[in-house]
Amino acid sequence: MYKLDTPSLLFESSRPGRATAIFPGSDVPARPLEAMIPAKQLAPSPPPLPELSELDVVRHYTNLSTSNMSIDANFYPLGSCTMKYNPKRNERLAALPGLTAQHPYQDEGTLQGLLALLHELQEFLAEIAGLDAVSLQPAAGAQGELTALLVAGAYFRDRRESRTKVLIPDSAHGTNPASAHLAGFEAVTIKSDARGLVDLADFKAKLDDKVAAFMITNPNTVGLFDPQVGEIARRLHDRGALLYLDGANMNAILGAVRPGDMGADLMHYNPHKTFSGPHGGGGPGAGPIAVRQALAPYLPAPLVARDDDGTYRLDYDRPRSIGRVRSFFGNTGVLFRAYCYIRSQGPDGLKAVAQHAVLNANYLMTLVRDVCPVPFGERCMHEFVASARSLSRDRGIRAMDIGKRLIDHNIHAPTVYFPLIVPEALMIEPTETEGRETLETFAKVLRAIAEEDPAALHDAPHSTPISRPDEVKAAKTPVLKWNGTPENR
Ligand SMILES: *Cc1c(COP(=O)(O)O)cnc(C)c1O
């Protein structure tokens, strides 16, 4: 069969003079660039941009889009990341020109619609959290953690209390200790007990007057709701310390439990997870935080405020604020989608989201746990962590092999090797948007992989342009231009 060789880069398909639009000749006299732009601002030569027809460009990006795993094309049970379907309605609404054609330097009087939306979102997020005040500024969950811990630091400084430590369970996301460290605290690890919950004895032993906060993820990263959270909050509050809730798992408890009612004093949201913002490949995200009244004065400035006459404005008059953590209004594109999602679900819909997420995860867990046992918990919340330890021991099939082989079946790999407390971890989160058939197919595929020849699995996937790149090298010394040799393609 004769097959057109598809070059991988637009630069390789470029042909001099090829263009997407052919303009008629100019009917005014040409003027040299130098006559209009100061010489020192002119490049010595035009930039070497590729020259292509519209069809070249359309084919290039259409083909490229189908070589990616994506939520629109594949089941994507990536634990912790909540890769739920991103409703197209949200995309259409967020693309309305009234929103996208705004400029952050516009006068506030001309931004009333935008500010009204953001203000309403602040109120929704406060209500869902059961907390009092919200900042939409942080750019991602991780930055939300950092911002909230800076707020906590400012609060204790104001009270003339020197608190240097933040307690973090060993099952926590790596961003928790990193944020604590960046905010100037010492991160102290709290062990998990045999059930996968906070080891209360270890917590009590490490809780002293130097503790500023305890960062809990509830439900936690093994997919379990920690019922000790009330007692943990009480003990912290008795010592004057704060409870921080990592809200990445809000998908499991929306409308059912409010972090403020669990005793949390501050938290972040991941709207790109919980509220269906499209994400992947590192962005885009947002990380709004919600806090109790006592912490509100320290939130980043500006907040969106509503005056008694119904006008909205950016409130910069916040003398005790930690300052800005991001430019302008926060990541409005992601925040709008969250707003659309919350409005289109409504309170009952949000609760149903959590119920279906939990139901789907439990159904899938019962279908796969005999192949990959689930060490913690008879039931789970919105995700569960299975272990490939016995497959690895008996047949030499590792979590990595399973993840890679799933790609050949058009399924994105679960999160592997996290959390660290489960050996050969496969962290699986189906989300509420998947139908029963998809879950059953996943279980069938997993079973089939467990029976396959281990040697053949070690170099899976077999169907992708790249099979097993050296991941560390790919991140540290990326080859961003293909030099034409098949080896580094
Ligand atoms: C995703 C996640 C984070 C970090 O959030 P980003 O938005 O990716 O910065 C923190 N904690 C947990 C448990 C997470 O799953």
Side-chain angles (χ1 to χ4, degrees):
M1 187 176 69
Y2 177 73
K3 197 161 162 286
L4 260 179
D5 184 28
T6 17
S8 60
L9 299 176
L10 285 177
F11 287 93
E12 290 162 13
S13 347
S14 174
R15 295 292 175 274
R18 204 166 279 175
T20 58
I22 311 289
F23 293 105
S26 171
D27 56 2
V28 294
R31 284 169 70 195
L33 270 181
E34 291 75 5
M36 294 177 287
I37 298 175
K40 70 173 191 324
Q41 281 164 7
L42 280 176
S45 57
L49 298 176
E51 297 175 74
L52 302 145
S53 74
E54 181 169 325
L55 182 55
D56 293 333
V57 177
V58 168
R59 282 199 184 136
H60 176 81
Y61 286 109
T62 305
N63 289 327
L64 211 55
S65 74
T66 59
S67 13
N68 274 335
M69 284 269 162
S70 75
I71 199 71
D72 280 352
N74 309 96
F75 180 39
Y76 212 124
L78 190 65
S80 206
C81 298
T82 313
M83 303 300 290
K84 63 166 89 173
Y85 176 64
N86 317 128
K88 297 296 167 249
R89 179 205 303 118
N90 299 356
E91 301 304 308
R92 282 196 301 277
L93 295 173
L96 288 175
L99 296 174
T100 55
Q102 310 269 12
H103 193 280
Y105 282 131
Q106 254 172 263
D107 187 77
E108 271 174 26
T110 67
L111 289 173
Q112 288 297 303
L114 169 93
L115 294 177
L117 284 183
L118 295 177
H119 186 263
E120 210 177 339
L121 182 60
Q122 284 177 185
E123 296 196 324
F124 291 155
L125 295 180
E127 184 178 341
I128 295 167
L131 291 168
D132 303 307
V134 167
S135 163
L136 302 175
Q137 251 187 49
Q143 204 198 8
E145 295 168 23
L146 172 62
T147 307
L149 290 175
L150 291 173
V151 164
Y155 164 80
F156 287 120
R157 257 196 313 283
D158 235 14
R159 298 168 60 92
R160 309 253 183 280
E161 290 182 44
S162 152
R163 293 181 182 255
T164 53
K165 296 191 245 180
V166 170
L167 307 182
I168 303 170
D170 57 7
S171 58
H173 197 267
T175 51
N176 289 191
S179 299
H181 180 75
L182 278 176
F185 294 103
E186 179 196 350
V188 178
T189 305
I190 303 296
K191 286 202 284 268
S192 298
D193 65 15
R195 299 167 300 167
L197 306 175
V198 172
D199 183 328
L200 218 49
D202 197 34
F203 164 68
K204 287 185 208 163
K206 289 177 179 157
L207 177 59
D208 60 26
D209 294 339
K210 287 285 162 199
V211 171
F214 181 87
M215 295 179 90
I216 195 168
T217 308
N218 203 20
N220 67 14
T221 59
V222 293
L224 301 177
F225 188 88
D226 197 326
Q228 310 168 116
V229 65
E231 177 173 358
I232 291 171
R234 195 161 34 72
R235 287 181 182 274
L236 287 163
H237 294 155
D238 285 349
R239 292 283 194 138
L242 302 171
L243 179 64
Y244 179 89
L245 181 105
D246 178 325
N249 291 342
M250 284 300 287
N251 210 45
I253 57 171
L254 281 174
V257 187
R258 302 191 306 171
D261 299 340
M262 289 184 216
D265 302 290
L266 64 180
M267 68 169 291
H268 79 262
Y269 284 98
N270 304 68
H272 45 293
K273 298 178 183 174
T274 312
F275 301 123
S276 81
H279 62 296
I289 58 171
V291 302
R292 261 189 221 294
Q293 199 57 50
L295 297 160
Y298 310 96
L299 285 174
L303 297 188
V304 185
R306 184 173 189 273
D307 287 331
D308 291 340
D309 67 357
T311 10
Y312 295 92
R313 66 187 160 81
L314 291 171
D315 177 15
Y316 287 93
D317 184 19
R318 308 183 56 77
R320 288 191 280 166
S321 162
I322 60 162
R324 239 187 206 297
V325 297
R326 193 197 182 280
S327 54
F328 304 118
F329 309 101
N331 217 349
T332 40
V334 182
L335 296 169
F336 286 150
R337 287 170 175 83
Y339 176 87
C340 299
Y341 187 74
I342 293 170
R343 284 298 301 268
S344 48
Q345 298 292 342
D348 295 339
L350 289 180
K351 188 169 179 185
V353 161
Q355 290 169 333
H356 290 142
V358 172
L359 180 64
N360 268 358
N362 278 281
Y363 183 55
L364 188 55
M365 181 168 80
T366 59
L367 295 180
V368 305
R369 73 185 313 168
D370 61 319
V371 188
C372 289
V374 175
F376 295 118
E378 271 311 301
R379 301 254 185 91
C380 63
M381 293 293 287
H382 64 307
E383 66 190 354
F384 60 93
V385 182
S387 171
R389 175 143 77 168
S390 51
L391 272 180
S392 168
R393 191 187 50 217
D394 303 342
R395 305 207 55 226
I397 298 174
R398 303 200 54 196
M400 179 67 89
D401 299 323
I402 296 173
K404 294 287 189 186
R405 182 64 171 149
L406 282 168
I407 298 170
D408 284 331
H409 293 273
N410 280 321
I411 296 173
H412 194 279
T415 297
V416 290
Y417 301 102
F418 174 76
L420 306 177
I421 58 172
V422 175
E424 296 297 323
L426 290 157
M427 185 188 209
I428 300 170
E429 178 177 8
T431 83
E432 72 281 5
T433 52
E434 297 300 333
R436 179 171 173 170
E437 297 74 20
T438 308
L439 306 182
E440 289 168 355
T441 303
F442 176 82
K444 263 189 226 145
V445 169
L446 193 67
R447 263 163 218 288
I449 293 175
E451 302 290 320
E452 279 191 281
D453 172 15
L457 289 179
H458 295 323
D459 54 8
H462 306 292
S463 59
T464 52
I466 298 173
S467 181
R468 294 219 182 182
D470 176 335
E471 285 162 15
V472 176
K473 197 166 169 224
K476 294 207 163 159
T477 47
V479 179
L480 298 176
K481 185 176 185 327
W482 179 41
N483 70 5
T485 60
E487 301 80 63
N488 81 354
R489 184 160 182 160

